[in-house]
Each structure stands twice: as C-alpha cells, then as structure tokens.
Amino acid sequence: MEKFRFGKKLQEAVLRRKEGQQPAIIIDGKEMKVRNPVFVGNRVRDVPCLVEEDNKAGNTGYTVVAVSFDNLNRQEKAWVCIQPVLLEQAIGSFMENHQMEGITGDCRCANRLTDTRDTGFDFETGNVCIEIKVFMPVTVGTGSCTWKSFHEAVKQITRHCNNPAVKEKGKRILLLTVCQDGTGQMQPMEDGSIKDELKKAVGMGVEFWIAETKTEEDGISLLRYWDYTDKIL
C-alpha cells in the first residue's frame, strides 16, 4: 500500500523531562528547544522521539511528531504519532488512493470537507459521511489507551445523524477510530458505560470501523482496517 509521506524525513532525538523545568530534546548531544511538551506524563525520564525543525511563525525550535515506548538503545523502535491532524491527513490520503474501498464502497475518492458546518463530518465520499476519532496513548510503557472521549464521539455522531442536512443526503454514516501499531488494541465496545450509546447509534444506522496505522521516519502506513459494527450488538 502507498505510504502517506512526510515532506521531510523526521529526525530521531531524545525528549528529556526535568523536574520543575520545561521539556527539551537532545540531538547529537546538544539540548534544543521543543515546541510541544507532548503527552508522556509527568515522569522525569528520557523518551525516544521523532522531531521536525519548526520554523513556523518565528519559532526557533523543534516539534515532536512521534514518540516511542521502547528502550532508548533499541534499534527498530515502534513510533506513535502524537499529532492527530497528521493521522487524519494520512487517512484522507489512503482513501484518495483507493486503499480503503471497503469503507467507501466504490472507486470514488473521499474529499476532506472544507466546511463541516452543514453535516459536521470530516470526510465525505459518494455514498458515506465519515467522522474520524484519533486516540492517544497516555501511560508510558504500558501501551494503554484512553477511551474517555469515545463516549462523547458516539453521542456527537448520533447528533449528526439527526441533522436535516445529513438525512437529506441519505448516505451511510461511519465513525472511524484510528489506532496505532505499538499501542495495544483496546476495543472501545468493551467499556460497559458506553454500550447503550453504541447500540443506539447502531440502531440509527451508524457503522463503526477501526484503522490501524504505523508511523516511521518518512511517513505513515495503513496496516489494516476493519468493521466491528456487528460486535457491538
């Protein structure tokens, strides 16, 4: 499958967290400024990361694009992208390149909606409206993921279903959850607190899919995607 490629290959570095100080990154033994302190918690430790130089709007540091839960000395690390926008762009690219036709149902490319006020969805193809939900790992070393916001995502998509502009289109409605290789696969439907909302959404015709991606220094790959709607009921 065709990879979603970054504009420039990312550079491996070490994210260093010091108690009472702002995080920094270490590149070739030099400590550099980092623009985003990322999600890896409050532990004081060194974390492998992939960075890009950040010269936007006068910034003179680096932006962390991905982190790894692997040991610093491991050669082949599993990277977790921490920028949801990049993952959404990757999904859009996969659909545009006909790599997810099991979702789109035809050969028509998906288009990113430039104005989502009418329907509220992220993507739209000839026969389906798609909302994307990206989850970030929150605990270093455990591979656990948070599904705290999944309930809100399900409620949001049921509200979309009741939108007259959506009903008028008469299209399939789909919530696509993006998981990442190396974070573990915790299925959201196992959370008992959201089962009723999930069943309500399925009753309204909502489909639930998962896409698994892999991040590397040069881009993001689609490993697989699958429909888990039937597992909810």
Side-chain angles (χ1 to χ4, degrees):
M1 288 189 175
E2 186 174 341
K3 181 181 288 187
F4 170 75
R5 296 193 179 276
F6 302 133
K8 185 177 180 181
K9 191 174 182 179
L10 303 178
Q11 185 172 358
E12 185 168 345
V14 176
L15 176 67
R16 178 160 293 172
R17 301 182 67 88
K18 300 177 182 179
E19 189 171 1
Q21 298 183 31
Q22 290 294 319
I25 58 169
I26 311 301
I27 300 178
D28 297 329
K30 297 180 180 180
E31 187 171 295
M32 313 287 288
K33 293 180 180 179
V34 60
R35 183 164 176 249
N36 52 335
V38 304
F39 67 90
V40 292
N42 295 319
R43 298 184 186 185
V44 179
R45 58 162 290 178
D46 289 348
V47 177
C49 63
L50 294 176
V51 300
E52 63 177 353
E53 195 167 359
D54 188 354
N55 294 318
K56 301 172 185 175
N59 292 315
T60 56
Y62 287 79
T63 293
V64 178
V65 176
V67 297
S68 176
F69 298 145
D70 293 331
N71 187 285
L72 286 170
N73 297 321
R74 183 171 177 174
Q75 292 296 316
E76 298 294 329
K77 299 180 180 69
W79 298 106
V80 179
C81 179
I82 61 168
Q83 295 195 18
V85 170
L86 275 180
L87 291 166
E88 290 183 6
Q89 291 173 349
I91 293 295
S93 175
F94 301 146
M95 286 192 282
E96 288 170 0
N97 288 292
H98 311 298
Q99 298 179 43
M100 302 183 77
E101 289 184 2
I103 287 179
T104 60
D106 55 29
C107 292
R108 296 185 63 178
C109 296
N111 296 313
R112 181 79 181 185
L113 297 180
T114 56
D115 186 349
T116 61
R117 287 176 296 180
D118 287 342
T119 64
F121 289 93
D122 292 318
F123 291 91
E124 184 176 350
T125 72
N127 68 342
V128 60
C129 292
I130 303 169
E131 180 73 15
I132 294 180
K133 186 64 182 176
V134 177
F135 290 100
M136 295 288 109
V138 294
T139 306
V140 173
T142 66
S144 64
C145 294
T146 178
W147 300 101
K148 183 178 180 180
S149 61
F150 189 78
H151 193 188
E152 285 302 316
V154 175
K155 289 194 292 184
Q156 180 180 352
I157 204 168
T158 55
R159 290 194 294 269
H160 291 344
C161 289
N162 289 320
N163 186 328
V166 174
K167 290 182 177 180
E168 185 178 343
K169 289 177 179 289
K171 298 186 179 184
R172 293 162 50 213
I173 306 298
L174 189 145
L175 179 61
L176 177 64
T177 301
V178 181
C179 296
Q180 299 189 65
D181 181 47
T183 65
Q185 295 300 329
M186 178 180 173
Q187 303 299 339
M189 58 277 195
E190 294 175 357
D191 186 335
S193 66
I194 65 170
K195 279 189 176 180
D196 290 343
E197 197 70 39
L198 285 166
K199 290 180 179 179
K200 176 183 175 182
V202 172
M204 298 176 69
V206 177
E207 300 174 32
F208 292 87
W209 291 65
I210 293 177
E212 185 176 4
T213 62
K214 181 177 182 179
T215 299
E216 297 174 292
E217 290 90 340
D218 61 342
I220 300 172
S221 300
L222 176 66
L223 298 181
R224 58 180 181 141
Y225 66 97
W226 66 98
D227 182 356
Y228 69 92
T229 308
D230 291 343
K231 295 182 179 180
I232 292 174
L233 302 176

